[in-house]
Amino acid sequence: MSALKLVPESVENPPVTNGPKTRSARPVIQARHVDKIYANGTVALQDATLDVRQGEFISLLGPSGCGKSTLLRIMAGLGDVSAGCVKWWEQDYDVVGSKGRKLAFVFQNATLMPWARVRANVRLPLDLQKAAGEHAERRIDTALEMVGLSQFGGAYPRELSGGMQMRASIARALVTEPDLMLMDEPFGALDEMTRNKLNDDILRLWQANGWTIVFVTHSVYEAVYLSSRVVVMGARPGRIVEEIDIDEPFPRGPDFRVSQRFADYCRQVSESLEKASSMGQEAAS
Amino acid sequence: MNAPLIRNERFVQIAAPISVGLLFLLIWEIAVRATGVAPYVLPGPLTIFSALQENWLDLLNALLTTLKVTFLAFAIAVLLGVACSLLFIQSKWIEMSLFPYAILMQVTPIVAIAPLIIIWIDDTTWSLTVCAVIMAIFPVISNTTLGLRSVDPNLLNMFRMYRAGRWQQLVRLRIPGALPYFFGGLRISSGLALIGAVVAEFVAGTGGAKAGLAYMILQSSYSLQIPKMFAALMLITVTGVLLFTLMVWLSNLALRNWHESAMKTEN
Ligand SMILES: Nc1ncnc2c1ncn2[C@@H]1O[C@H](COP(=O)(O)OP(=O)(O)OP(=O)(O)O)[C@@H](O)[C@H]1O
Ligand SMILES: [Mg+2]
């Protein structure tokens, strides 16, 4: 594999243009009636069913504590489910890591190794997969450049700000060119400007490389701007409330952000969110 | 005028304890002179110092003997302790079955088993070393095991996701993460190795060419050479402090780039 493709021209897999068309694409993840009950009795997920198809950009949106991170971790094959089942590329988890199926996970906090410099941290997945070939250095450079940390390869994580640490962690996920990228609120700690820039970067990469992304966010705007499908979740117990297709062609640009359609989608998603949280309150009281 | 020096943290770190020490010695000397206590009951610092000067060859030899046992025991304790920790983290079962015995070794008073060990092992150096190892090994085992187990669960998840093997997990994640704990263990263990060496020698009571500082103390107390006894005692304390300082320095050297314990926090 070559270094990351930065320009959409070199597209091998045709880009997804909108949500419904991907319904016929190959499933990447199939979660069926998944329950997750933690050892302390917390019901973090109840009867969650979700299909993630090849080339989709899915956002998980919901109030704090509704099980977004939990669902994402399950999709990453981290931790068992209490009930239900999950398939990866229509197979068991073993398929991940072998046969060139690559997963990358961006954790909610940066999760860098404090004793290693930024460059070594970004390099880690390549080292672990023994993929540190000739392209490794270039890939690392590209990944660092993309998140704007070219100057900081030699720094230790604690010398970076919270947002910079998060960006280093994103670079670490990008460097493997994953087939499926799971991102847990990656831009939560960033300022509006950097966030918008990274939103566009990630969209461009997603299109150019034919990735599949599941993305957790608190921001309705971000969800609508990025996704081909928004999955709204509710709390207590954590569950999937509604799936909303964002029927807008890619590439999306600043024009979309100020369009009427964008506003309509945002309203629709917000209403769904409100409904979800009021339902949660009824259940709690 | 002194303001810049006073604000220099390194200077204060060294100067402050030394001033306290000097003040203490001064009060001691004055008290001894004022009350006229006999030097075989409590010698003043100056008397002790001249005893040190008079017997320096004897004392130096004894110090070297004690140091040899201490360092040998410390090195063995570290190697063996780390090996045990690596074994323990292989499975909860191994740890559960063996850890109680590590504790057993820790809580058994060394003076109680030293006579046995001295009977079992003919060679004095080795019998003393074994006693000192028993004394020093526990902090290494318990701290290193704790460190090897205290991994950021998300980092561990990531390693699993990238299908890292046990070896990669150990070398790239567990061992670097355990270093701060390990060095914490060394600080305690180095002092215990010295104490172990001295205590074992007290029990053994070995004299002759292989006499260590403990024997010096015993012998001088029998012959009422109390200033010499104090001089030997002082050498033990100073050695202990230097050992500890050496461990702190090593730890700071290894961790200075990333661990809170070895860095100045800047706000
Ligand atoms: N390891 C755990 N043990 C027990 N309970 C847990 C654990 N992790 C999460 N939970 C519980 O599961 C529920 C869902 O947690 P989760 O982290 O998935 O929420 P989230 O939607 O990601 O929230 P946020 O937006 O704040 O990150 C919470 O109620 C939480 O208390
Ligand atoms: Mg979360």
Side-chain angles (χ1 to χ4, degrees):
Chain A
M1 268 206 204
S2 63
L4 287 162
K5 301 176 206 91
L6 283 166
V7 251
E9 271 85 74
S10 54
V11 178
E12 278 160 14
N13 311 4
V16 186
T17 48
N18 53 40
K21 275 188 195 166
T22 60
R23 284 292 155 82
S24 54
R26 258 197 91 187
V28 172
I29 287 184
Q30 297 159 293
R32 292 277 170 277
H33 310 290
V34 169
D35 289 0
K36 175 73 185 186
I37 302 164
Y38 282 108
N40 63 5
T42 311
V43 183
L45 275 181
Q46 199 173 56
D47 197 26
T49 295
L50 181 66
D51 270 8
V52 179
R53 291 179 180 279
Q54 169 67 44
E56 274 193 298
F57 197 127
I58 292 187
S59 287
L60 302 181
L61 192 66
S64 178
C66 71
K68 303 183 295 293
S69 299
T70 304
L71 181 56
L72 208 64
R73 270 201 299 273
I74 287 173
M75 290 198 234
L78 304 169
D80 302 323
V81 298
S82 310
C85 77
V86 186
K87 294 275 183 209
W88 288 264
W89 288 278
E90 295 172 284
Q91 294 174 61
D92 289 333
Y93 186 62
D94 299 335
V95 75
V96 174
S98 58
K99 298 183 199 169
R101 296 298 190 195
K102 279 183 279 184
L103 264 178
F105 200 109
V106 178
F107 292 93
Q108 195 163 356
N109 38 16
T111 314
L112 300 169
M113 301 180 292
W115 54 84
R117 293 171 196 274
V118 167
R119 205 179 168 80
N121 264 295
V122 173
R123 192 194 175 84
L124 180 79
L126 300 178
D127 287 342
L128 291 183
Q129 297 178 329
K130 309 219 163 53
E134 47 177 318
H135 296 305
E137 296 304 318
R138 223 174 66 217
R139 279 206 218 169
I140 299 168
D141 285 335
T142 318
L144 282 175
E145 200 174 306
M146 205 142 39
V147 296
L149 287 180
S150 299
Q151 308 297 316
F152 293 90
Y156 283 92
R158 59 170 294 145
E159 295 163 0
L160 305 182
S161 74
M164 289 159 91
Q165 290 179 13
M166 207 57 219
R167 282 187 274 153
S169 153
I170 294 168
R172 180 179 59 192
L174 292 175
V175 82
T176 54
E177 300 180 40
D179 300 285
L180 171 63
M181 179 106 94
L182 303 166
M183 308 177 91
D184 198 347
E185 289 183 44
F187 307 144
L190 301 180
D191 61 291
E192 194 78 21
M193 293 270 286
T194 318
R195 193 171 179 149
N196 287 346
K197 180 190 165 292
L198 284 174
N199 275 349
D200 287 329
D201 283 344
I202 208 88
L203 267 188
R204 199 179 60 228
L205 281 166
W206 166 70
Q207 264 204 296
N209 295 284
W211 288 344
T212 308
I213 296 183
V214 182
F215 187 95
V216 172
T217 177
H218 276 139
S219 156
V220 173
Y221 307 109
E222 194 171 59
V224 170
Y225 183 69
L226 292 175
S227 334
S228 50
R229 183 147 55 104
V230 177
V231 175
V232 179
M233 296 179 68
R236 270 168 285 279
R239 70 215 182 281
I240 292 172
V241 176
E242 196 178 356
E243 296 184 22
I244 299 168
D245 287 316
I246 309 296
D247 235 330
E248 174 75 21
F250 294 94
R252 295 171 181 171
D255 290 348
F256 179 50
R257 278 191 205 276
V258 294
S259 70
Q260 183 59 42
R261 293 184 311 283
F262 184 73
D264 290 343
Y265 278 126
C266 288
R267 182 157 359 97
Q268 191 187 347
V269 171
S270 300
E271 277 166 10
S272 174
L273 253 179
E274 261 163 47
K275 214 164 58 195
S277 44
S278 64
M279 270 157 62
Q281 272 158 11
E282 277 160 31
S285 57
Chain B
M1 272 165 281
N2 278 340
L5 261 187
I6 286 287
R7 287 211 196 100
N8 182 333
E9 201 180 322
R10 273 191 86 84
F11 173 77
V12 173
Q13 218 172 22
I14 297 166
I18 287 183
S19 319
V20 172
L22 286 178
L23 191 69
F24 176 73
L25 291 180
L26 187 71
I27 293 173
W28 182 356
E29 185 69 44
I30 292 172
V32 165
R33 281 171 194 241
T35 54
V37 180
Y40 59 83
V41 178
L42 179 67
L46 288 177
T47 325
I48 296 172
F49 188 69
S50 61
L52 189 68
Q53 268 184 326
E54 278 162 35
N55 303 292
W56 73 272
L57 206 65
D58 273 4
L59 286 169
L60 188 70
N61 267 327
L63 175 66
L64 286 180
T65 308
T66 304
L67 276 183
K68 191 169 107 184
V69 173
T70 305
F71 277 112
L72 205 57
F74 185 46
I76 294 174
V78 170
L79 289 179
L80 215 61
V82 169
C84 285
S85 305
L86 289 175
L87 185 70
F88 285 175
I89 60 155
Q90 294 314 307
S91 93
K92 263 278 177 238
W93 283 102
I94 300 181
E95 185 177 356
M96 278 191 297
S97 351
L98 294 181
F99 203 74
Y101 296 98
I103 299 171
L104 198 79
M105 211 155 63
Q106 164 75 2
V107 296
T108 312
I110 191 71
V111 276
I113 44 170
L116 271 180
I117 292 169
I118 289 160
I119 291 170
W120 288 337
I121 303 173
D122 275 339
D123 185 83
T124 323
T125 307
W126 282 110
S127 58
L128 299 187
T129 304
V130 168
C131 293
V133 169
I134 293 177
M135 191 90 184
I137 198 169
F138 188 74
V140 180
I141 297 183
S142 77
N143 271 33
T144 313
T145 309
L146 183 67
L148 289 169
R149 285 206 184 285
S150 310
V151 193
D152 179 342
N154 278 337
L155 270 175
L156 199 59
N157 276 338
M158 205 185 63
F159 271 65
R160 290 209 186 104
M161 229 170 51
Y162 290 122
R163 304 265 159 191
R166 286 175 84 89
W167 177 251
Q168 282 178 318
Q169 251 183 44
L170 185 70
V171 173
R172 289 176 176 274
L173 185 58
R174 290 190 187 271
I175 290 179
L179 283 183
Y181 296 83
F182 170 72
F183 281 110
L186 288 198
R187 289 184 195 192
I188 305 169
S189 172
S190 59
L192 287 179
L194 178 65
I195 295 176
V198 172
V199 167
E201 205 197 345
F202 261 110
V203 177
T206 345
K210 276 192 171 176
L213 285 173
Y215 184 73
M216 280 294 142
I217 291 178
L218 279 176
Q219 191 207 27
S220 351
S221 79
Y222 292 148
S223 55
L224 277 185
Q225 289 175 286
I226 304 301
K228 189 178 168 191
M229 183 182 132
F230 267 93
L233 185 62
M234 201 194 70
L235 281 181
I236 294 176
T237 352
V238 170
T239 308
V241 171
L242 287 181
L243 260 177
F244 184 86
T245 315
L246 180 70
M247 291 308 123
V248 171
W249 180 77
L250 270 181
S251 151
N252 285 343
L253 192 71
L255 307 177
R256 67 185 159 181
N257 283 327
W258 65 276
H259 198 256
E260 288 74 14
S261 69
M263 306 184 74
K264 261 224 288 255
T265 26
E266 281 178 81
N267 287 313

